[in-house]
Amino acid sequence: MIGASSTPAHRYLMSGLSVRSAIALPMQTDHRPDAAPVDVTIELGDVPDHLNEFTHRGANWWSNADHCLLILPGIGRFLASGGRQLTVMPDPGIAVDDLVVFITGTVMSAVLYQRGAFLLHASAVVHDGRAYVFCGSSGAGKSTLSAALVRAGCEFLSDDLCSIRHSADAPPLVEADGRTLRLYDDSIRTLGLADAVGARVRQQIEKFYVEPSSGSGLRAGSVPLGAIYMLGDVNPTHPEGLTRLPPLDAAQALLRESYRRRLALAYSAKGALAARTATLLKYTGVFAFHRRRDLNRLDEGVELLMSHWKGLS
């Protein structure tokens, strides 16, 4: 039995929320003296091995309106509760550090969905006061592209999980976040980021947490959304370049790139997923960005995007 921690020691900004955590996370610490009251608490504690009642389930998770239970055999159990608490219970012999990727990813997304969030599997940067979001499957190069854009002068905003806030009569906003980049070794070498490398994302893979450039700092405010890009490979059907997606294709792409899509659908009523997608498309263009995944051609993609942004402003 694990006793719940009573003295969480770390404070972070995650997807626009103030988070207090008993577990050190690979994120920029929120040192703001006027930090908002705590929205979400992360603690070590006992997690049940089942939910008595659930409305949705996946291969290793069960959810209802107020709880989401994730069980990863040989790793640990995780419980998201009421959009306010995340409880973590490592399996015997498992280091807490090897659970962090699940805490900041799948389980945090459950907390956010319980609060009605709109989440994309994406990275984001800021240029001239607007946020640009890059969606794609794992390995599509979202983080590497964002790192290259930061090297070219953009401000880093978020990686892997991107939360978008809507209002009735204004463009959507991308929520501020304290995440770090997550990059493979070849991207780190290409971008010259060896001095910024932190711990491995997981012990079994050659992927590392990488601090954004020192000039980025921790952004406290949310940023107006400029555009969303769906990353894809060049093929005979899709030549290299940028193409604006028609509304129906854009809506389907946004659903496909929802963070942990089945969880998004499980909480779609609370998050008004369909209505918010329509609102987003009213204000924001969604573009297909087909490119060759060649690290030696990163600068070409950066130049193309920055040129495109000038045309959008």
Side-chain angles (χ1 to χ4, degrees), residues 2-3 19 31 87 101 111 120 128 136 140 158 173 176 211 230 270 288:
I2 299 176
V19 176
H31 291 300
T87 308
V101 65
V111 171
L120 293 175
D128 285 344
S158 188
L173 300 171
E211 287 288 339
M230 301 291 169
K270 182 170 286 191

Side-chain angles (χ1 to χ4, degrees), residues 10-19 25-36 126 150 154-159 174-181 211-223:
H10 310 279
R11 193 74 172 256
Y12 304 103
L13 182 68
M14 299 177 70
S15 300
L17 301 178
S18 179
V19 176
L25 303 177
M27 305 186 70
Q28 299 178 75
T29 301
D30 186 358
H31 291 300
R32 293 173 297 158
D34 58 340
V126 179
V150 169
C154 294
E155 183 180 0
F156 175 72
L157 187 57
S158 188
D159 190 32
V174 180
E175 297 281 21
D177 197 85
R179 296 171 193 274
T180 58
L181 289 158
E211 287 288 339
S213 64
S214 58
S216 295
L218 179 61
R219 173 177 282 275
S222 301
V223 184

Side-chain angles (χ1 to χ4, degrees), residues 76-146:
R77 301 178 196 168
F78 310 80
L79 183 66
S81 304
R84 297 194 61 84
Q85 184 168 309
L86 195 165
T87 308
V88 180
M89 183 178 178
D91 278 359
I94 301 299
V96 172
D97 287 351
D98 220 29
L99 277 65
V100 164
V101 65
F102 305 106
I103 295 169
T104 59
T106 301
V107 195
M108 187 63 192
S109 75
V111 171
L112 293 165
Y113 282 133
Q114 289 168 356
R115 301 176 69 97
F118 185 100
L119 307 177
L120 293 175
H121 187 198
S123 62
V125 301
V126 179
H127 180 71
D128 285 344
R130 299 183 74 82
Y132 297 95
V133 172
F134 307 99
C135 296
S137 58
S138 296
K142 303 180 296 294
S143 303
T144 299
L145 179 58
S146 289

Side-chain angles (χ1 to χ4, degrees), residues 31-255:
H31 291 300
R32 293 173 297 158
D34 58 340
V38 173
D39 298 302
V40 176
T41 300
I42 300 173
E43 62 180 27
L44 290 165
D46 291 309
V47 173
D49 60 6
H50 68 282
L51 285 182
N52 290 327
E53 298 181 2
F54 58 88
T55 55
H56 297 82
R57 67 170 299 174
N60 52 11
W61 60 268
W62 299 259
S63 71
N64 56 39
D66 296 315
H67 298 92
C68 182
L69 172 66
L70 173 68
I71 298 180
L72 301 176
I75 297 175
R77 301 178 196 168
F78 310 80
L79 183 66
S81 304
R84 297 194 61 84
Q85 184 168 309
L86 195 165
T87 308
V88 180
M89 183 178 178
D91 278 359
I94 301 299
V96 172
D97 287 351
D98 220 29
L99 277 65
V100 164
V101 65
F102 305 106
I103 295 169
T104 59
T106 301
V107 195
M108 187 63 192
S109 75
V111 171
L112 293 165
Y113 282 133
Q114 289 168 356
R115 301 176 69 97
F118 185 100
L119 307 177
L120 293 175
H121 187 198
S123 62
V125 301
V126 179
H127 180 71
D128 285 344
R130 299 183 74 82
Y132 297 95
V133 172
F134 307 99
C135 296
S137 58
S138 296
K142 303 180 296 294
S143 303
T144 299
L145 179 58
S146 289
L149 286 161
V150 169
R151 184 177 65 172
C154 294
E155 183 180 0
F156 175 72
L157 187 57
S158 188
D159 190 32
D160 189 53
L161 188 158
C162 187
S163 180
I164 298 176
R165 175 158 53 94
H166 297 71
S167 62
D169 54 0
L173 300 171
V174 180
E175 297 281 21
D177 197 85
R179 296 171 193 274
T180 58
L181 289 158
R182 304 194 309 182
L183 298 171
Y184 287 104
D185 190 57
D186 54 352
S187 295
I188 292 168
R189 290 196 306 269
T190 299
L191 293 163
L193 294 172
D195 292 342
V197 173
R200 289 176 184 260
V201 173
R202 293 196 69 198
Q203 290 303 312
Q204 299 90 336
I205 59 175
E206 292 290 320
K207 194 173 190 179
F208 300 86
Y209 295 108
V210 178
E211 287 288 339
S213 64
S214 58
S216 295
L218 179 61
R219 173 177 282 275
S222 301
V223 184
L225 177 58
I228 298 174
Y229 298 88
M230 301 291 169
L231 301 186
D233 293 328
V234 171
N235 58 50
T237 305
H238 297 105
E240 195 167 2
L242 291 162
T243 306
R244 183 161 187 160
L245 296 178
L248 180 57
D249 291 345
Q252 291 174 336
L254 289 170
L255 174 60

